[in-house]
Amino acid sequence: MEFDPVLLARLQFAFTIIFHIIFPSFTIGLSAYIATLGVLWLRSGEERFQLLMRFWVKIFAVSFAMGVVSGIVLSYQFGTNWSRFSVATGNVLGPLLGYEVLTAFFLEATFLGVLLFGFNKVPRWLYVLSATVVAVGTMISAFWILAANSWMQTPAGHEFKDGVAYPLDWLHIVFNPSFPYRFAHMLNAAYLTTAFVVIAVGARFLIGERHIAEGRTMLRMGIGLTAILAPLQLVIGDQHGLNTLKHQPIKVAAMEAHWEGSKPADFHIFAWPDEKAGTNRYELSIPKGASLILTHKMNGLFPGLLSVAAKDRPPVATVFFAFRIMLAVGLFMIGAALLGAFFWWRGSLFETRWYLRVIAQSWWIGFVAVIAGWVVTESGRQPWIVYGVMRTADATSPVPGATIAGTLALFIVAYGIVFSFGIYYMNRLIAKGPDLGPDAAKETSEPGGISPIASTKDAGHGIV
Amino acid sequence: MEWYLPLIWAGVIGTAVAMYVIMDGFDLGIGILFPFARNETERDQMMRSIAPFWDGNETWLVLGGAGLFVAFPRAYAVIMPAFYLPVIVMLLALVFRGIAFEFRTVSHSKKGWSFAFVVGSTLAAFAQGVILGGMIEGIKVENGAYAGGPYDWASPFGLLCGLALIAGYGLLGATWLVMKTEGAIAVRARQQSKVFLIAVLVFMAAVSLWTPLAEPRIAERWFSLPNFYYLWPVPSVTALLALGCWYWIEKERDAPPFLAAIALFMLGYLGLVISNFPYLVPPSLTVWDTAAAPSSQIFMLVGTLLLLPFVLGYIVLVYWLFRGKVREGESYH
Ligand code: HDD
Ligand code: HEM
Ligand code: HEM
């Protein structure tokens, strides 16, 4: 059988990294939420904050473990799948990943021990401090890895000699043109994603009429946050898109399925990009909408896909649809957050059943948007692995396609198992709720018997 | 500057690998010893002794990988494709044992995830040994890229090294349990330490005989004069340490057997470094052939020297916070 090693290496990388990003999107946000609850608890001494904090720490533990193990896989895949890329860019990307390990991974991993096992061992302030350190660690980690990725999108601060990149200016490398936008957009995405999980759990408790006080706290905190962050994400995303137009115009053309640069661009609510014919079918469009968004002029022009040869175009349909999915989620989030804020202001937030039911079911939308966003970014960069400099096809390792296919199958099976159990266990912990129940007293009195994941004997009779 | 930078980096990465082998070594070792526990309660106690540390321990593996990518990208780009299958098997094994820490406590039946923990830990140790063996035997390189097939690593020597590393991590794990637990587990761990100690010595002897016989460059390194005069203390100290380890186990001491096991490991490691230096990808690429641009190495070296003391500082803090023995019956969380 013939296997295309480039395609398989890409599929494998895409699969493992999409699996990985699910967990950072949640742990970056959740660690910050846990730290916030900890600070509130220290300052107010109120029990509900402590209960909520310890409830979320249990779920955090499961998610973090999956994030860590899938991340370790990725750090080795640069070498296993993209060895020629590693040689060409090691001088530039290597140090960024190295700094990530030294400034972030050790910090997160070490203080995680205190967060999970230290509740009864260390003073309160040290416990909350550890939670904060973990949260800051995840942020620093995002900083470096996004610097690395942004350099691949908009390389700067280096020179190429004989196909190898040499650093010239580290500040330009790290703060390359797309980095500030990507960092802001991704961090905000993580907070939004987590906030929607928190809101959904709060709503679930209220519908089930259990843990009312905690449910209300979560709902208020989540809606307060998203009412600000969801609209902000639209603003950041818009700026991000304008910046991309400057540096990667063909990616933007693919996002909008815009073929002819000589005409103003419509905003397609739906279309079926036909890559062979170089045009769209079944368009449903707002005339000149895309021109207005991207150039702020009705008749503004920006390059179309036809301005470059077919072999230099990204996969248009993938980028186009992924972008629409992200936009749809973004708009839904804005709507849900503002509506929630409105009900809150009217004093009917906790009684509006239909609203609670809808948001209780929406815990997953942030994850979909994050994945869709990354597909836009990464597929839109194709056929380049380092934009305008190195092609993905020139980046692979000398590994036969059959080997990659076999390991890809292994990854799919293994991650399938891990993911199903992970989701199942997290759901059970959520169903069990923050009430630590009768064995809570026992656990807190027992020296060293801390319980981030208390026994779940009585889980399962949750609400759902 | 350009001349000794790669040497400094070889030292840094060598240290990261040593830290990894010791630290993840003992917690992988717990997984290797898991099947010999009597019941899940004992396994809880064993796991409890490493649970706050394992993630930090494994981060040294990331530092080793990232360090190689930073300082020697050309070596990284040869080694990873050369050991594609064992690397991926190791990573998947680490996935299963890593999540077992959390999943085991939240699932109704602990048995399934205990099994995953055993298989993951053992397989990861084995795969690491296979990679090590393959490095010693040499990697086929043409034009700076890997030129061998996908199964070149599968040699009798590689498999021997795989088993050797299982025994080695088993020894570290058993002596760790001697130090960190009490009751039935500690008693059993003393017996296990002795068995693994003997196994480790046998494997060390086998590797020490095999490599000079199979690789003339290694024989030359050890047995030519005057090297021989400088190097003979290495095996002698190893033998003394092994005796000491045995003696301290007999005397029911807590920490000394573990420390002796670490020292044994480090001597074995030193032996491998002596055999192979300055090759990073034996037998063709040296640390100088594969080094990153000097400005990259300097940029990262400054950061490493500034940050590593802090990293070590808070690692010590966490080991100190969780000092003392894990008592019998004390639950996992
Ligand atoms: C926006 C954030 C982000 C992105 C784009 C990535 N990661 Fe990640 N990664 C994290 C945010 C993160 C984190 C929040 O720091 C994690 C997630 C959960 C966790 O445990 O830490 C993590 C864990 C994590 C670990 C384990 C760290 C440990 O031992 O504690 C490694 C080795 C990587 N990642 C490597 C990568 C690589 C090589 C990536 C890209 C190719 C990547 N991550 C994308
Ligand atoms: C974590 C969020 C990320 C997601 C979900 C993601 C997603 C993807 C996807 C879907 C592809 C395949 C694209 C295609 O072949 O059409 C890809 C490719 C790739 N990405 Fe990312 N990516 C992420 C972050 C990163 C980061 C941070 C880096 C580097 C620092 C990176 C480096 C690469 C490389 C090297 C490839 C392979 C070559 C290629 O196909 O372009 N990615 N990614
Ligand atoms: C509401 C309107 C939104 C707009 C206008 C928008 C815009 C964009 C654009 C233009 C990109 C591609 C950047 C590039 O590669 O050049 C992008 C990427 C991305 N988006 Fe959005 N976005 C929006 C909402 C969201 C939401 C709600 C989420 C998640 C909760 C999200 C998550 C992401 C992620 C993770 C990426 C990839 C990383 C990056 O390049 O920043 N976006 N977004």
Side-chain angles (χ1 to χ4, degrees):
Chain A
M1 234 202 301
E2 272 302 307
F3 292 102
D4 175 2
V6 177
L7 182 67
L8 284 162
R10 286 170 64 180
L11 279 178
Q12 191 184 84
F13 196 84
F15 179 73
T16 51
I17 201 164
I18 285 177
F19 184 81
H20 177 64
I21 196 62
I22 293 173
F23 304 102
S25 319
F26 190 44
T27 48
I28 294 173
L30 196 53
S31 57
Y33 185 54
I34 288 170
T36 311
L37 288 168
V39 171
L40 289 172
W41 170 54
L42 274 191
R43 289 188 36 184
S44 71
E46 279 183 53
E47 196 63 0
R48 66 191 160 121
F49 291 127
Q50 196 242 91
L51 280 182
L52 270 181
M53 174 176 71
R54 296 184 64 193
F55 164 68
W56 282 110
V57 164
K58 293 181 226 169
I59 294 154
F60 180 73
V62 176
S63 169
F64 202 89
M66 292 197 272
V68 168
V69 294
S70 57
I72 292 175
V73 170
L74 284 183
S75 64
Y76 278 82
Q77 284 212 317
F78 285 113
T80 52
N81 284 22
W82 310 108
S83 68
R84 285 189 287 163
F85 164 76
S86 302
V87 171
T89 62
N91 290 331
V92 171
L93 292 186
L96 303 185
L97 300 182
Y99 271 102
E100 182 179 16
V101 180
L102 286 170
T103 56
F105 288 160
F106 274 115
L107 206 63
E108 296 170 50
T110 313
F111 284 94
L112 177 76
V114 183
L115 184 59
L116 299 195
F117 301 96
F119 191 78
N120 291 338
K121 270 212 154 69
V122 303
R124 284 180 176 194
W125 66 267
L126 183 55
Y127 186 75
V128 173
L129 182 67
S130 303
T132 315
V133 168
V134 172
V136 172
T138 61
M139 247 188 264
I140 302 176
S141 158
F143 176 92
W144 290 110
I145 198 75
L146 293 176
N149 180 272
S150 299
W151 183 84
M152 292 164 62
Q153 308 284 347
T154 50
H158 66 284
E159 61 176 348
F160 264 89
K161 276 190 292 205
D162 304 326
V164 174
Y166 290 87
L168 292 176
D169 182 338
W170 286 104
L171 274 180
H172 282 122
I173 290 172
V174 173
F175 295 95
N176 60 71
S178 65
F179 171 69
Y181 301 96
R182 187 162 285 109
F183 183 52
H185 196 61
M186 177 65 214
L187 266 194
N188 202 14
Y191 294 139
L192 277 173
T193 302
T194 312
F196 266 81
V197 176
V198 171
I199 294 175
V201 171
R204 219 169 124 176
F205 286 162
L206 291 188
I207 295 170
E209 295 180 359
R210 311 182 321 138
H211 316 298
I212 304 288
E214 288 81 17
R216 289 185 171 182
T217 306
M218 285 194 270
L219 218 54
R220 273 195 233 109
M221 290 176 84
I223 286 182
L225 188 73
T226 46
I228 299 166
L229 293 190
L232 183 66
Q233 186 73 331
L234 178 67
V235 176
I236 302 173
D238 176 51
Q239 294 302 312
H240 197 359
L242 292 180
N243 183 61
T244 305
L245 181 62
K246 221 184 297 166
H247 299 279
Q248 298 174 303
I250 297 306
K251 185 195 271 186
V252 173
M255 278 155 43
E256 301 297 351
H258 175 50
W259 297 92
E260 305 221 19
S262 56
K263 297 186 201 142
D266 299 343
F267 182 85
H268 309 300
I269 296 165
F270 182 85
W272 189 261
D274 183 336
E275 298 182 32
K276 286 220 176 59
T279 179
N280 297 328
R281 296 170 193 279
Y282 319 114
E283 280 183 11
L284 170 65
S285 313
I286 302 170
K288 305 189 181 175
S291 283
L292 189 63
I293 293 172
L294 285 158
T295 64
H296 296 192
K297 281 198 257 349
M298 279 304 253
N299 292 314
L301 298 180
F302 63 95
L305 285 159
L306 295 178
S307 65
V308 295
K311 71 172 179 36
D312 291 336
R313 288 178 209 151
V316 182
T318 313
V319 179
F320 175 81
F321 285 115
F323 187 60
R324 260 135 204 82
I325 293 173
M326 176 173 61
L327 282 186
V329 173
L331 296 177
F332 176 87
M333 283 181 163
I334 295 175
L338 294 182
L339 200 59
F342 173 73
F343 289 140
W344 185 5
W345 173 66
R346 287 266 306 267
S348 59
L349 176 60
F350 306 128
E351 282 77 47
T352 314
R353 284 275 150 169
W354 68 266
Y355 177 74
L356 294 181
R357 273 184 212 292
V358 170
I359 52 174
Q361 297 303 322
S362 319
W363 61 270
W364 50 273
I365 54 170
F367 299 98
V368 170
V370 165
I371 294 171
W374 276 107
V375 170
V376 174
T377 298
E378 301 287 302
S379 298
R381 186 187 62 209
Q382 304 303 322
W384 306 98
I385 191 164
V386 180
Y387 194 72
V389 180
M390 182 179 202
R391 280 176 190 267
T392 309
D394 300 328
T396 46
S397 298
V399 175
T403 312
I404 310 177
T407 50
L408 173 60
L410 274 180
F411 272 118
I412 292 176
V413 173
Y415 281 11
I417 297 173
V418 170
F419 188 75
S420 323
F421 277 99
I423 288 278
Y424 171 68
Y425 292 143
M426 281 197 257
N427 191 46
R428 231 171 46 183
L429 288 169
I430 289 172
K432 193 185 170 220
D435 192 351
L436 294 175
D439 54 21
K442 194 190 83 206
E443 270 157 16
T444 29
S445 62
E446 178 188 311
I450 313 94
S451 180
I453 299 175
S455 99
T456 38
K457 286 187 287 295
D458 53 341
H461 332 290
I463 28 154
V464 195
Chain B
M1 198 70 199
E2 312 232 334
W3 180 78
Y4 57 79
L5 262 178
L7 286 182
I8 300 176
W9 266 106
V12 172
I13 292 174
T15 312
V17 172
M19 290 296 281
Y20 173 73
V21 167
I22 296 168
M23 299 180 84
D24 215 26
F26 75 73
D27 74 44
L28 286 166
I30 302 299
I32 294 166
L33 296 171
F34 237 45
F36 306 109
R38 250 183 302 130
N39 50 42
E40 295 296 334
T41 323
E42 283 197 0
R43 295 197 179 102
D44 283 349
Q45 196 185 342
M46 291 164 75
M47 214 165 202
R48 182 85 173 92
S49 76
I50 50 170
F53 313 119
W54 76 272
D55 188 5
N57 294 347
E58 216 159 280
T59 306
W60 291 99
L61 180 67
V62 184
L63 184 64
L68 201 60
F69 185 32
V70 174
F72 305 104
R74 289 186 187 83
Y76 179 76
V78 170
I79 295 170
M80 294 303 151
F83 298 107
Y84 193 87
L85 286 172
V87 165
I88 288 189
V89 165
M90 173 190 78
L91 293 170
L92 282 171
L94 290 175
V95 166
F96 276 98
R97 82 175 286 277
I99 55 159
F101 279 94
E102 295 306 330
F103 284 15
R104 198 174 156 276
T105 44
V106 286
S107 75
H108 283 299
S109 143
K110 298 187 169 184
K111 282 225 166 63
W113 293 111
S114 292
F115 179 71
F117 190 63
V118 172
V119 175
S121 304
T122 313
L123 205 57
F126 184 72
Q128 287 171 8
V130 167
I131 295 168
L132 177 71
M135 299 266 290
I136 297 171
E137 284 198 306
I139 300 174
K140 196 167 163 211
V141 176
E142 273 164 29
N143 300 325
Y146 177 59
Y151 300 103
D152 282 15
W153 48 269
S155 69
F157 181 70
L159 304 183
L160 174 81
C161 289
L163 295 176
L165 215 58
I166 293 180
Y169 288 170
L171 175 65
L172 285 173
T175 50
W176 168 265
L177 287 178
V178 167
M179 180 171 76
K180 289 291 280 186
T181 62
E182 49 187 33
I185 298 183
V187 172
R188 188 170 329 109
R190 282 200 188 88
Q191 296 306 317
Q192 289 165 335
S193 301
K194 289 185 189 166
V195 176
F196 278 110
L197 180 59
I198 294 174
V200 165
L201 292 175
V202 171
F203 280 119
M204 274 182 147
V207 171
S208 311
L209 288 176
W210 192 319
T211 45
L213 287 178
E215 309 288 335
R217 70 187 162 85
I218 295 179
E220 161 91 26
R221 175 67 47 92
W222 286 88
F223 299 119
S224 66
L225 296 176
N227 290 12
F228 184 72
Y229 296 125
Y230 299 120
L231 295 180
W232 70 265
V234 177
S236 318
V237 175
T238 308
L240 275 178
L241 268 170
L243 278 177
C245 189
W246 187 280
Y247 174 78
W248 285 314
I249 298 169
E250 283 283 335
K251 287 278 161 203
E252 307 204 350
R253 299 286 300 273
D254 283 344
F258 182 59
L259 298 177
I262 291 179
L264 263 183
F265 244 85
M266 289 303 96
L267 276 171
Y269 186 61
L270 182 67
L272 292 177
V273 171
I274 293 173
S275 295
N276 292 292
F277 190 80
Y279 292 105
L280 205 55
V281 183
S284 51
L285 300 177
T286 66
V287 291
W288 294 285
D289 298 331
T290 54
S295 58
S296 301
Q297 290 198 331
I298 291 174
F299 177 61
M300 194 64 224
L301 191 62
V302 173
T304 309
L305 296 180
L306 283 176
L307 292 163
L308 214 50
F310 288 98
V311 170
L312 291 171
Y314 54 71
I315 288 179
V316 169
L317 172 76
V318 166
Y319 273 83
W320 182 77
L321 283 174
F322 293 96
R323 68 195 175 278
K325 291 195 187 259
V326 179
R327 274 178 298 276
E328 216 169 347
E330 193 171 314
S331 68
Y332 171 64
H333 282 302

